[in-house]
Amino acid sequence: MNSVAIIGAGPAGLQTAMRLKQEGFESIVLEEHERIGMPENCAGLISKNGIDDLKVDLQGCLQNKVRGARIFSPNGTELKITSKDTVAYVVDRKRFDLELMQKARNMNIHIATNTKLIDVRNQTLFVQAGGRGELKKAETVVGADGVNSTVRHLMGLKTNKDNFVHTIQAICTGEFDENYVQLHLGDFAKGFFAWVIPITDKKARIGLGNVLGENITQNYKEFLSKKFPGVRPYGASSSLIPYGLPLQNVQKNNMMLVGDAAFQTKATSGGGIVFGMKAGNVAAETIANTLKKSGKLSDYEKNLSGLHKELRIHWKIRKYVNSLSNEKIDSLFEKLKAKGIEEFLREEGNMDEPSKFIGKLAKKPSYWFMAKTLMGIARS
């Protein structure tokens, strides 16, 4: 009998296991893939604030440091937010996961790869390990098993196609400004955006996301030919990301969800590493308190309230942008640029915690033309 079985050896699952170990409790991590960090679909951009909060050492996986973002409306109007200091890191996501795995194993946490969860009945887990059926026992099961979570399905939480964005990404060679991430809005990325994440001045990850139902391959080809005709893509990959509010009822009986499985991802950007790992800490502390008899598993949702508040604001921002036509987005960018939004975001912007600047924005007379929207977001 294991105290805790964690399904999925991504950042959220491994962070849960390591935090539990720090609390004095053992866990087993079950990963369906044979190799940690594969398949690699992440853009690999992580906020510096988030990494600092989590105290993660990026040695061995750091590829680049960026100082800002260039955001383009459909007609090409640019908002350029820059800082003299690093605001985000670009990492090799496969190496990032492998570094976390090695750290976990150094803490004597058992990680079983090539082991897929099939079912959970009370404290019995039915798994397929190396092609053979096995039974395992655990008091608590944590679903950190990603966007297509088996644990989420077993908990009876329903999703539909509107809850996901389809993404495509490739490594591209060309000429890039390694100091800036680029974001592009337009019909080629309906419901989401396209991105350029520089690895060096000669190499970048370029990708885009679409709501389901779009011809994403064709849209990607058109985006590259229009915006970056000189680049050469290779190693393209495609995946789904959660899209919407963080899920409710992410704890049921002896099961709980963390990370992408719980939709703990930023709807503005699709990023989920920082929030998934922070949710893993919350899950581990909730489980530890339950095992110490000073709390219960049902406290998990209450303990997530701070993280989920930020994620709700990210979704409000995404819904607002998606409600605008291309022409209205162009007009909004022009107005915001004229009113000094670039300087404001340079001073006040935060990639992970929009609550720290949305309220301040709503109080500035310059932005009262969108006061109703800002106050609605701030109150979320």
Side-chain angles (χ1 to χ4, degrees):
M1 172 69 74
N2 300 285
S3 295
V4 184
I6 298 167
I7 314 303
L14 292 172
Q15 185 67 27
T16 305
M18 290 188 287
R19 186 73 187 99
L20 270 170
K21 187 76 172 186
Q22 291 169 343
E23 291 283 342
F25 297 100
E26 301 294 332
S27 65
I28 183 172
V29 181
L30 308 180
E31 168 57 48
E32 69 172 305
H33 296 101
E34 188 172 355
R35 293 188 293 166
I36 302 294
M38 298 297 289
E40 185 180 4
N41 297 313
C42 180
L45 184 72
I46 314 177
S47 70
K48 181 180 183 299
N49 287 339
I51 288 297
D52 289 348
D53 288 347
L54 290 162
K55 297 180 174 59
V56 176
D57 183 0
L58 297 180
Q59 184 177 1
C61 65
L62 181 64
Q63 294 180 311
N64 190 21
K65 300 177 181 180
V66 297
R67 296 192 292 108
R70 300 174 65 195
I71 309 172
F72 297 89
S73 76
N75 72 358
T77 300
E78 178 184 357
L79 299 179
K80 187 174 183 179
I81 300 104
T82 187
S83 171
K84 64 179 185 297
D85 301 314
T86 297
V87 296
Y89 298 114
V90 181
V91 301
D92 180 322
R93 177 56 194 275
K94 176 184 174 183
R95 291 299 316 167
F96 182 83
D97 286 16
L98 288 172
E99 293 284 331
L100 288 177
M101 178 197 70
Q102 190 57 55
K103 182 179 178 182
R105 284 184 166 160
N106 289 343
M107 297 170 70
N108 294 319
I109 294 169
H110 180 51
I111 302 169
T113 58
N114 202 19
T115 303
K116 179 179 176 60
L117 177 72
I118 305 299
D119 198 3
V120 176
R121 298 178 189 174
N122 299 319
Q123 296 183 342
T124 301
L125 283 68
F126 298 78
V127 303
Q128 188 176 65
R132 299 177 57 184
E134 292 184 4
L135 299 180
K136 295 187 181 295
K137 293 283 191 177
E139 295 178 43
T140 303
V141 179
V142 178
D145 46 346
V147 64
N148 296 311
S149 171
T150 297
V151 179
R152 184 176 68 229
H153 173 73
L154 294 174
M155 290 172 63
L157 294 177
K158 305 296 184 183
T159 57
N160 58 57
K161 68 176 187 177
D162 295 333
N163 299 130
F164 302 96
V165 164
H166 189 191
T167 69
I168 187 169
Q169 176 178 260
I171 300 292
C172 296
T173 56
E175 300 291 333
F176 305 100
D177 186 339
E178 59 188 332
N179 291 307
Y180 292 93
V181 169
Q182 293 185 37
L183 307 178
H184 296 260
L185 303 178
D187 288 337
F188 45 79
K190 190 170 292 184
F192 210 57
F193 62 93
W195 61 85
V196 179
I197 311 293
I199 299 171
T200 68
D201 61 347
K202 303 295 184 185
K203 184 165 66 172
R205 296 186 188 95
I206 301 181
L208 62 78
N210 282 162
V211 292
L212 296 186
E214 290 285 304
N215 187 334
I216 192 168
T217 302
Q218 184 61 34
N219 288 346
Y220 187 60
K221 289 178 180 178
E222 290 180 1
F223 171 70
L224 286 181
S225 65
K226 181 179 179 180
K227 301 290 186 179
F228 300 95
V231 306
R232 299 183 63 182
Y234 63 93
S237 62
S238 182
S239 65
L240 295 179
I241 59 173
Y243 187 62
L245 289 166
L247 296 182
Q248 296 181 311
N249 304 313
V250 290
Q251 187 281 317
K252 181 179 180 182
N253 300 326
N254 67 329
M255 293 183 284
M256 58 208 310
L257 300 174
V258 298
D260 285 8
F263 281 46
Q264 291 160 345
T265 54
K266 297 181 289 187
T268 52
S269 69
I273 293 176
V274 169
F275 276 87
M277 293 178 72
K278 287 185 175 181
N281 284 338
V282 174
E285 290 159 12
T286 303
I287 294 168
N289 288 337
T290 302
L291 294 172
K292 294 173 185 175
K293 310 300 183 185
S294 59
K296 51 189 183 297
L297 288 182
S298 58
D299 294 334
Y300 179 49
E301 300 228 21
K302 176 184 68 178
N303 297 340
L304 283 169
S305 60
L307 289 178
H308 280 188
K309 170 189 171 184
E310 299 296 341
L311 290 171
R312 285 194 298 271
I313 296 176
H314 280 282
W315 177 240
K316 285 268 192 175
I317 296 170
R318 166 56 55 204
K319 282 186 67 179
Y320 171 64
V321 174
N322 286 357
S323 73
L324 303 176
S325 66
N326 285 348
E327 293 73 20
K328 287 186 176 180
I329 294 174
D330 292 332
S331 176
L332 177 64
F333 269 51
E334 290 164 5
K335 287 180 181 179
L336 291 174
K337 189 177 184 71
K339 293 179 182 298
I341 193 65
E342 294 159 310
E343 178 65 19
F344 175 85
L345 290 176
R346 185 181 74 82
E347 297 293 332
E348 305 289 351
N350 187 300
M351 288 174 59
D352 295 328
E353 301 177 28
S355 67
K356 291 186 175 179
F357 67 85
I358 287 291
K360 294 179 182 179
L361 198 64
K363 293 176 182 178
K364 286 186 170 291
S366 300
Y367 306 105
W368 283 356
F369 71 94
M370 53 185 299
K372 183 178 178 180
T373 297
L374 289 170
M375 290 309 296
I377 292 171
R379 287 197 299 267
S380 69

